[in-house]
Amino acid sequence: MAALAALYFPLATAMYYFHEQSLYLGVSILYKVVFALMIVMLSLLVFLVKTDLFRAGILLKHMALLMLPHFLVLLVSLPLWVFNTSPMEVIRRGAFAQIYCIAIIFAGAGILYVFGKNGLWLNLSAMLAANLITILGAVRQVGFGEYFQEFITLIRTFGKENGPGIAAAEINELTFAVGLYLLFLVLNWKDLRRSKLFFPMLFLTLFCYFSGFKRIGAFTIALCIAAGLLLMAVTQGKDRRRGWLLFLSIAAIVVSFVYLIVVRAGLFGFLEEHFDLNTMGRTTLNALVEQYYSLTPDYLGQGAGFISRLFSDLLVGISSVRALHNDILALYIDIGFWGFWLWMFAFMPLRVMLVSKWQGIRGGILCACYCLFIIVTAFTDNTIYYVYVIGVSSILTMGGYFRKQASIQGDAL
């Protein structure tokens, strides 16, 4: 296992380190996906050498559930691409966004197949190593003293002020993924604290998260912890009380649609005018896309990749902005009214109920918290299609089974 860890760890670290760099093979392919596929191939080789059909079966059914929203986007988009005669660039962007997410789900499953529940620690170690390499690069530029001062200022001002060192270390996609792991460590601290890795990992996770501090992430972590503790209290570990999980899941997706309504009605403009809140140009961003959608059942969508391509074309006055920074709205515009509800149902209520059936009520609660984290952060960011966020939520969800059944086949093959 040590030899396998020596192979997997650098591959996973590279997967998390090369977050934007790409390899051109006729089309540009992100390095992180290349390394994810290398992990998948290595895991298939391990499967051929030491086959465990039971473990593979458990992972496959979880993977099918986790990949369902991505396949739904492709299924809904196919007729929209044809009907709207979408440019190939739109189709490519829409398809590759789903393929990237599916690839990292496979990679997470591969890590868990080989290492069992210990794969959760290996994956976190690789993430932190990649993040710390970036942070060390920033420290080298500005000096340790300056970086430390910027770090303190960032926390003291709750993310409102940062310097060049912190800016160089900030990787939005990785920061949100680290935030998900932080949520996992906090919600499971009673079980995990027995591990010698827990406190060092918790410290490094906190440090990396606050180095790339995201206010919506901090708010959402607190919200998810509160939701998780509330669900644990009202269910008291009893599977027959899964109705509370269904209630939370349905409430979350209904609130998501209500959020679209209030955004359309001018939420961000209202916040800027009456509360002097800096919404980072989101009023302008939302105004740019208003002409392309309506919040009615007859709106069928533009096809996946539409918003991504739109923001690569419409850069007048917002040249530094490359995305809508509201993935809930972007998803709705891409796949329409009915596609949105199908996606939401597959993403949270269906996922949470099946995971609670496979892993027990606690597993379902944790899954609900991971889904809630992605949905709420997607209100003001791009977390639905952040590959690292999808990967971490997937490995944590699948890993819940191995943590619950650690005695089955041992902790690793």
Side-chain angles (χ1 to χ4, degrees):
M1 296 311 300
L4 283 172
L7 290 174
Y8 275 83
F9 180 75
L11 288 175
T13 301
M15 180 175 71
Y16 288 115
Y17 179 74
F18 295 105
H19 60 285
E20 288 184 341
Q21 297 87 335
S22 61
L23 176 68
Y24 187 76
L25 296 172
V27 292
S28 293
I29 301 176
L30 293 171
Y31 272 124
K32 60 188 173 187
V33 178
V34 174
F35 285 109
L37 293 176
M38 291 174 69
I39 291 172
V40 173
M41 297 304 294
L42 183 57
S43 301
L44 286 174
L45 181 60
V46 174
F47 173 76
L48 292 174
V49 173
K50 186 144 186 165
T51 304
D52 185 337
L53 293 177
F54 178 79
R55 178 172 289 196
I58 293 297
L59 288 169
L60 282 173
K61 71 177 183 180
H62 279 80
M63 288 168 61
L65 179 63
L66 292 164
M67 292 187 294
L68 180 59
H70 304 289
F71 285 120
L72 277 174
V73 171
L74 294 174
L75 183 64
V76 171
S77 295
L78 279 172
L80 295 174
W81 287 332
V82 174
F83 181 78
N84 295 329
T85 59
S86 300
M88 185 54 64
E89 177 65 12
V90 169
I91 298 172
R92 185 190 66 80
R93 286 171 180 258
F96 270 71
Q98 311 311 317
I99 292 170
Y100 289 159
C101 292
I102 291 170
I104 204 165
I105 292 172
F106 267 98
I111 291 173
L112 289 173
Y113 178 81
V114 177
F115 298 99
K117 69 173 185 177
N118 293 328
L120 296 173
W121 292 116
L122 185 144
N123 189 66
L124 176 57
S125 299
M127 285 180 61
L128 296 177
N131 208 338
L132 288 170
I133 291 170
T134 302
I135 291 171
L136 287 173
V139 170
R140 186 177 179 182
Q141 290 180 22
V142 301
F144 178 79
E146 176 63 25
Y147 187 87
F148 181 74
Q149 288 299 322
E150 291 180 17
F151 181 80
I152 297 300
T153 300
L154 184 73
I155 296 174
R156 180 176 54 81
T157 61
F158 199 64
K160 291 182 179 180
E161 296 180 21
N162 64 355
I166 290 293
E170 183 181 358
I171 305 170
N172 287 352
E173 183 176 350
L174 189 56
T175 298
F176 279 114
V178 170
L180 255 178
Y181 250 112
L182 182 58
L183 175 63
F184 162 75
L185 293 173
V186 172
L187 287 176
N188 294 283
W189 74 274
K190 287 185 178 180
D191 298 329
L192 297 175
R193 64 181 176 175
R194 293 192 291 268
S195 171
K196 294 179 181 179
L197 292 171
F198 176 69
F199 287 106
M201 288 296 190
L202 178 60
F203 173 78
L204 290 174
T205 303
L206 282 166
F207 174 71
C208 287
Y209 180 76
F210 282 106
S211 287
F213 187 69
K214 306 301 294 182
R215 283 173 288 178
I216 183 65
F219 166 79
T220 306
I221 289 170
L223 174 67
C224 291
I225 290 172
L229 293 176
L230 178 62
L231 285 170
M232 290 174 190
V234 297
T235 60
Q236 296 180 341
K238 298 176 181 178
D239 285 349
R240 67 176 182 273
R241 297 184 178 178
R242 283 187 293 173
W244 286 104
L245 282 173
L246 183 61
F247 173 78
L248 172 70
S249 301
I250 293 175
I253 64 176
V254 170
V255 168
S256 298
F257 189 76
V258 172
Y259 175 73
L260 294 180
I261 295 173
V262 297
V263 166
R264 179 82 181 196
L267 169 66
F268 292 110
F270 176 82
L271 293 175
E272 288 178 339
E273 181 179 351
H274 292 84
F275 295 94
D276 195 28
L277 183 66
N278 181 9
T279 63
M280 307 297 288
R282 285 180 171 84
T283 302
T284 302
L285 297 177
N286 290 317
L288 279 172
V289 299
E290 280 188 358
Q291 61 181 304
Y292 298 107
Y293 75 99
S294 63
L295 294 171
T296 55
D298 62 345
Y299 176 69
L300 301 179
Q302 305 285 349
F306 175 80
I307 286 295
S308 176
R309 175 60 188 271
L310 180 68
F311 274 82
S312 71
D313 292 341
L314 297 179
L315 297 176
V316 178
I318 53 168
S319 58
S320 62
V321 178
R322 306 294 299 185
L324 182 56
H325 291 282
N326 182 345
D327 256 5
I328 297 295
L329 179 56
L331 179 75
Y332 181 87
I333 295 172
D334 278 353
I335 62 175
F337 182 91
W338 298 106
F340 174 84
W341 285 107
L342 278 173
W343 188 95
M344 281 289 178
F345 178 78
F347 183 77
M348 192 165 183
L350 179 63
R351 182 180 295 184
V352 169
M353 295 312 294
L354 286 179
V355 169
S356 67
K357 181 179 179 181
W358 297 336
Q359 299 182 14
I361 191 69
R362 183 175 178 82
I365 290 172
L366 293 173
C367 178
C369 291
Y370 306 146
C371 293
L372 187 63
F373 177 91
I374 294 175
I375 288 176
V376 175
T377 53
F379 285 176
T380 61
D381 221 290
N382 311 307
T383 46
I384 284 178
Y385 290 136
Y386 275 158
V387 175
Y388 294 155
V389 172
I390 295 300
V392 168
S393 68
S394 298
I395 198 170
L396 291 177
T397 300
M398 291 185 286
Y401 180 87
F402 294 97
R403 291 184 60 248
K404 182 174 182 288
Q405 304 290 338
S407 61
I408 299 177
Q409 302 291 333
D411 287 347
L413 288 176

